[in-house]
Amino acid sequence: MKTYQIVGIGNAVVDVISQSDDSFLDLMGIEKGIMQLVERERGEVLYAGMESRVQTPGGSVANTIAGAGALGLEAAFIGRVHDDALGRFYAEAMQNDGVDFVNPPVPGGELPTSRSMIFVSPDGERSMNTYLGISSELSSQDVSKDIAGKASIMFLEGYLFDKDKGKTAFLEAARDCHEGGGKTGIAISDPFCVERHRADFLSLIENELDFVIGNEAEICSLFETDDTEEALKRTAAICPLVVCTRSGDGVTVVNGSERVDVPVEKIVPVDATGAGDQFAAGFLYGLATSRDLETCARMGNVCAREVISHIGPRPEVSVLDLLRAEGLV
């Protein structure tokens, strides 16, 4: 069985991206700047209203794993797609991106492949409307112990906490990874996701995980506070490694008594979609290749800066070349 430097478990979602102004968002009843779950019918209406659509394989952790694979890590992604046109597109596209898509598309009468309609405003803000479909049905049966038990790093997606079988799959995967000597962490994903599952999130972080990655709002939501410093302190008390992205204010990494604050180069984003995902790709690439925490954070910043410079959640140029230009590899 092949071993991997990094394995992700998350929603396998086809991203459908369109540029839209605020008046269009108001007309369609789309709340700007957040991710909303929608039912199948609502998704079809929004899809029909999109112009100049760009289609790409997505999902938060899937984007991270694709980014890590593009940097050269042996990478695999565990997700669930239907054996329909979108599902086959997704599986093939991940393989073409250099990431092993471990499970084949599921045939039969299950839900369709998941898709997210992403509306990008002129200011670069993105408004995501996601129909989860089959991806949210991921369970322990989709997560091979042979894969999880031989992963150096396992990265989990918080969105899958919305169903109990997703939580169970995470718990078992984390334990299998630890048994094999690997490290497991989570992308918090969204403050609203934390609100729905706070107790389970905190229990998993405290008892099963080696690291957690989130932005300020997500880290603060763990402990229902607006004080980022307090949230960092409390999260670091239950998890060995905490990584908090702070938009234009940089990145804070806390590892026990060690704290690293790394600034970012501020630029006006063309599209903020995937910024956090690609930051995680760079950071975890650094972690997998035994870089120090400051270098890991700087790598993450370079990856995030590249992806917000264009439309779409994945890099368009060689990020490894960008890291070389910064003297990081």
Side-chain angles (χ1 to χ4, degrees), residues 4 10 23 33 46 51 67 100 117 143 177 187 201-202 205 222 240 244 279-280 283 299 304 307 309 320 325 328:
Y4 295 97
S23 63
L46 294 177
E51 296 183 356
D100 285 352
M117 283 65 68
V143 184
C177 182
F201 258 106
L202 291 174
I205 290 169
L222 288 172
C244 179
F279 170 84
F283 187 92
M299 287 177 164
V307 82
S309 69
L320 196 58
L328 297 174

Side-chain angles (χ1 to χ4, degrees), residues 156-158 160-168 170-171 174-175 186 188 193-209 212 221-223 238:
L156 312 174
E157 182 175 315
L160 279 175
F161 259 54
D162 277 317
K163 293 200 173 179
D164 287 342
K165 54 188 173 183
K167 297 176 188 176
T168 300
F170 276 6
L171 184 63
R175 291 175 178 174
I186 195 167
I188 297 178
C193 190
V194 174
E195 288 177 12
R196 293 192 294 270
H197 310 287
R198 184 171 287 106
D200 288 332
F201 258 106
L202 291 174
S203 177
L204 185 74
I205 290 169
E206 181 171 10
N207 297 308
E208 307 292 345
L209 300 187
V212 59
S221 68
L222 288 172
F223 294 99
I238 63 171

Side-chain angles (χ1 to χ4, degrees), residues 88-124:
R88 291 188 292 273
F89 161 78
Y90 191 98
E92 182 177 349
M94 289 294 283
Q95 292 288 159
N96 290 341
D97 282 343
V99 175
D100 285 352
F101 189 73
V102 174
N103 299 326
V106 179
E110 287 203 55
L111 295 168
T113 295
S114 311
R115 71 289 311 265
S116 181
M117 283 65 68
I118 303 174
F119 300 89
V120 182
S121 306
D123 61 1

Side-chain angles (χ1 to χ4, degrees), residues 14-270:
V14 177
D15 285 339
V16 186
I17 304 169
S18 176
Q19 292 183 291
S20 306
D21 59 24
D22 289 355
S23 63
F24 178 85
L25 300 183
D26 291 339
L27 177 66
M28 300 298 288
I30 297 168
E31 188 170 349
K32 184 176 179 178
I34 69 167
M35 194 286 288
Q36 291 182 302
L37 298 178
V38 298
E39 297 299 324
R40 186 173 181 177
E41 294 77 10
R42 169 72 169 162
E44 291 173 353
V45 169
L46 294 177
Y47 183 86
M50 303 179 84
E51 296 183 356
S52 302
R53 295 183 291 254
V54 176
Q55 183 173 289
T56 180
S60 175
V61 164
N63 289 335
T64 295
I65 299 304
L71 286 168
L73 295 187
E74 289 287 342
F77 179 68
I78 297 171
R80 193 171 178 84
V81 299
H82 187 68
D83 189 14
D84 53 19
L86 280 180
R88 291 188 292 273
F89 161 78
Y90 191 98
E92 182 177 349
M94 289 294 283
Q95 292 288 159
N96 290 341
D97 282 343
V99 175
D100 285 352
F101 189 73
V102 174
N103 299 326
V106 179
E110 287 203 55
L111 295 168
T113 295
S114 311
R115 71 289 311 265
S116 181
M117 283 65 68
I118 303 174
F119 300 89
V120 182
S121 306
D123 61 1
E125 190 60 81
R126 82 278 196 218
S127 308
M128 305 168 65
N129 293 260
T130 303
Y131 166 62
L132 287 178
I134 194 175
S135 68
S136 63
E137 298 300 314
L138 185 139
S139 70
S140 299
Q141 294 181 342
D142 298 300
V143 184
S144 165
K145 185 172 183 178
D146 288 336
I147 300 292
K150 294 183 179 180
S152 296
I153 295 175
M154 175 76 70
F155 195 42
L156 312 174
E157 182 175 315
Y159 284 132
L160 279 175
F161 259 54
D162 277 317
K163 293 200 173 179
D164 287 342
K165 54 188 173 183
K167 297 176 188 176
T168 300
F170 276 6
L171 184 63
E172 293 178 1
R175 291 175 178 174
D176 289 341
C177 182
H178 281 148
E179 284 180 15
K183 294 185 180 297
T184 304
I186 195 167
I188 297 178
S189 297
D190 190 284
F192 299 107
C193 190
V194 174
E195 288 177 12
R196 293 192 294 270
H197 310 287
R198 184 171 287 106
D200 288 332
F201 258 106
L202 291 174
S203 177
L204 185 74
I205 290 169
E206 181 171 10
N207 297 308
E208 307 292 345
L209 300 187
D210 302 290
F211 64 91
V212 59
I213 299 178
N215 61 32
E216 285 183 284
E218 293 160 357
I219 296 291
C220 284
S221 68
L222 288 172
F223 294 99
E224 299 180 89
T225 178
D226 294 326
D227 186 335
T228 302
E229 292 300 321
E230 175 67 15
L232 280 169
K233 179 181 177 181
R234 296 180 68 178
T235 308
I238 63 171
C239 188
L241 178 61
V242 182
V243 185
C244 179
T245 58
R246 310 176 79 159
S247 191
D249 293 328
V251 180
T252 297
V253 184
V254 182
N255 181 25
S257 60
E258 179 186 4
R259 173 172 173 150
V260 178
D261 290 289
V262 180
V264 295
E265 176 187 341
K266 294 184 180 181
I267 65 171
V268 177
V270 173

